[in-house]
Amino acid sequence: MKKLFAAMLMLALLVWPGTACAAEVKVYLDGKPQSGAFVQDEQLYMPLRPVLDALGLASEWDSKEQRISVAMPDGSWLHMYIGQESSMRVWPDGQSCECIFGGAPQMRRGSACISLQNADFLLGVGVDYLAADEARLYTDRLVYNAWPELNRDTYILDLKTGALTCRQSGQNEERLIAALQLPADAGDERHMAAMRTTAGNYYMTYRVSAAKSNRNLCYAQYFIDGQSGQSYQTFLRASRDGRSAAPDVLWEKEALWLNGDSELYYVQDTSPVQATRYDLAVMQAAALGGTEPAKPVYCYWAQAGQYLLLGDYRDFVLYDLQKERGQLLTERLLTAEVRARAEELLLKIAPEVYSQPEEMAAFWQRLGPGNALPPQTTHPCLTFSVYDGGMLHFSLELIYYVPNSENYAIHNVSSQIALNELI
């Protein structure tokens, strides 16, 4: 097993405080009523076959093992076992992933039945729970916050049209919020999360990922004006290095920064919503005195609507919005003292390598994200923390590959510098 997902907290949120049996259970799949649904152990079940047919997925049945095997779109097999909560996802190259979400498959009147919880998490079906004994299933929509007992809004995203609708707590009618332009990146898992702000506007995230690597292939953010339906959108790509990636969203009281590939929105949570877009590539190029970089530029940190920390993993710029100018930071941060401390660590870690001047010079040339380098490469990476008392805190991470293993060791050289000394 490569990974083990034990979602006990999620299980606690997904069960219903109902009875073990309901007089009538109503389940609709893409608008069509389904027969054979039932409640067992506080889980809502329905026959598996209609779900697989709606998704266009083939399956096999092993009566001896009591196993249902589903051929997934990415070439893997999903193995589910009657009476067992644990299922297994296996890829052609032998990699596997065990999934435990609760609600073991059941055999009822000769048909294999699946809990709606597992239809959601294992097969990607959108499940809208109207009550403990009533639900709607969608093969082309995502559903979020669909738990009536938690008294939260329910959001439904149509993957074909991009229509985002909301059913507010205690109401039966769905309200169209906006028609969004969704990214077309290919992937086998899609996820959505949404929330209503105190000003009555909406914030939503949408991501596409690969089940095998659990890595985001695409990440999109939207801030939506609750009155007009106007949406402000930006994208975050998963090619970013996990350690130095910019925050998904930077909140500031009644405003927030939406951060994406070479663009940044400053959105004020008002009615109507006010948004200002910044072209990060242009801002960085002006500070560097050159042309715009080919790779994306991100905002790693924002403070009080004035300072922005921009970068593309190697060239970092502190930008003052009021003065409309930026200052290149990389060399200012990598002072002779910081470099000396880092080189001292490297000599302790691998003296046989870094006692050679050419190896030490090559190390500093690899400053940036590890995913742009050959596997098993030792490299430096700059990371930044929050603004505090007029100081910019940063760390130089020495990400060291441990020979004869698949592991990396991370050593930090931390420091700080006053903002007024930088710009």
Side-chain angles (χ1 to χ4, degrees):
M1 293 183 297
K2 181 182 177 184
K3 295 176 284 186
L4 176 63
F5 294 101
M8 300 307 296
L9 177 60
M10 186 67 72
L11 173 60
L13 292 175
L14 300 186
V15 297
W16 292 266
T19 60
C21 180
E24 182 181 5
V25 178
K26 298 179 181 179
V27 172
Y28 304 86
L29 177 59
D30 291 330
K32 300 177 181 179
Q34 303 295 305
S35 60
F38 61 94
V39 175
Q40 178 172 312
D41 298 327
E42 297 184 319
Q43 292 283 342
L44 185 53
Y45 282 81
M46 70 169 290
L48 176 60
R49 173 50 55 194
V51 178
L52 297 182
D53 288 345
L55 293 170
L57 300 178
S59 64
E60 296 178 357
W61 166 249
D62 187 324
S63 58
K64 181 179 180 181
E65 297 290 335
Q66 293 286 287
R67 181 183 68 202
I68 310 114
S69 298
V70 180
M72 302 299 285
D74 65 349
S76 66
W77 285 90
L78 172 64
H79 302 297
M80 298 179 287
Y81 301 84
I82 299 298
Q84 297 184 28
E85 292 186 351
S86 175
S87 61
M88 185 70 69
R89 187 89 173 259
V90 181
W91 283 268
D93 62 2
Q95 295 190 59
S96 63
C97 170
E98 185 177 6
C99 307
I100 304 174
F101 289 116
Q106 303 292 328
M107 190 65 72
R108 179 68 65 95
R109 298 187 180 93
S111 296
C113 297
I114 188 173
S115 69
L116 301 198
Q117 176 189 339
N118 279 332
D120 181 354
F121 287 101
L122 298 180
L123 298 174
V125 177
V127 183
D128 180 11
Y129 294 99
L130 304 177
D133 56 359
E134 184 176 1
R136 299 170 184 161
L137 278 71
Y138 304 100
T139 58
D140 60 353
R141 304 181 193 181
L142 300 178
V143 181
Y144 182 74
N145 282 1
W147 317 115
E149 68 277 15
L150 298 181
N151 194 32
R152 299 162 71 183
D153 297 344
T154 297
Y155 298 89
I156 301 175
L157 177 65
D158 190 315
L159 296 175
K160 292 182 178 179
T161 65
L164 177 67
T165 58
C166 173
R167 186 176 66 251
Q168 294 187 358
S169 301
Q171 299 182 14
N172 295 324
E173 295 183 0
E174 293 180 9
R175 173 177 177 264
L176 176 65
I177 298 175
L180 304 173
Q181 183 68 40
L182 299 177
D185 293 63
D188 56 352
E189 289 191 351
R190 286 168 169 75
H191 310 270
M192 180 262 290
M195 61 172 284
R196 180 159 40 111
T197 72
T198 55
N201 301 309
Y202 299 90
Y203 171 67
M204 193 196 90
T205 61
Y206 171 79
R207 63 186 177 91
V208 182
S209 61
K212 183 177 181 180
S213 63
N214 197 33
R215 180 177 179 179
N216 287 342
L217 303 176
C218 177
Y219 192 108
Q221 297 171 315
Y222 305 84
F223 194 88
I224 304 164
D225 189 309
Q227 294 295 322
S228 66
Q230 171 69 42
S231 62
Y232 303 92
Q233 169 187 296
T234 184
F235 297 93
L236 294 176
R237 301 293 180 181
S239 59
R240 302 174 307 161
D241 179 80
R243 287 174 294 272
S244 61
D248 292 343
V249 59
L250 307 171
W251 289 90
E252 282 188 359
K253 295 183 180 180
E254 296 181 352
L256 74 160
W257 298 90
L258 288 182
N259 186 21
D261 285 354
S262 296
E263 67 176 356
L264 183 72
Y265 277 103
Y266 180 63
V267 181
Q268 298 180 50
D269 186 17
T270 57
S271 183
V273 169
Q274 299 182 41
T276 303
R277 178 184 179 273
Y278 296 97
D279 190 321
L280 303 185
V282 170
M283 295 162 69
Q284 189 198 47
L288 298 178
T291 58
E292 295 182 23
K295 51 188 174 181
V297 179
Y298 301 106
C299 177
Y300 291 82
W301 168 84
Q303 189 271 328
Q306 179 179 357
Y307 294 109
L308 302 178
L309 180 64
L310 316 177
D312 56 9
Y313 300 115
R314 185 175 184 88
D315 294 317
F316 294 94
V317 170
L318 182 66
Y319 195 91
D320 189 322
L321 292 172
Q322 294 181 4
K323 298 179 180 179
E324 296 186 346
R325 70 166 185 258
Q327 174 67 50
L328 181 62
L329 289 187
T330 307
E331 295 303 319
R332 295 282 301 275
L333 300 180
L334 296 181
T335 63
E337 179 185 357
V338 170
R339 286 176 178 265
R341 289 162 59 194
E343 292 178 0
E344 183 180 356
L345 270 174
L346 288 172
L347 288 171
K348 289 181 179 179
I349 295 169
E352 70 284 358
V353 175
Y354 293 104
S355 58
Q356 306 298 320
E358 61 273 14
E359 290 291 341
M360 191 69 80
F363 171 81
W364 289 111
Q365 288 299 315
R366 294 192 289 265
L367 178 67
N371 58 10
L373 299 170
Q376 304 175 351
T377 301
T378 298
H379 65 282
C381 177
L382 277 171
T383 63
F384 301 89
S385 59
V386 297
Y387 171 85
D388 179 32
M391 305 298 291
L392 177 66
H393 299 259
F394 68 95
S395 292
L396 176 68
E397 290 186 344
L398 310 183
I399 303 166
Y400 176 73
Y401 169 69
V402 180
N404 303 318
S405 75
E406 297 182 355
N407 300 320
Y408 285 84
I410 300 178
H411 304 271
N412 289 290
V413 177
S414 300
S415 188
Q416 61 183 19
I417 190 169
L419 283 175
N420 57 15
E421 297 180 8
L422 293 171
I423 193 169

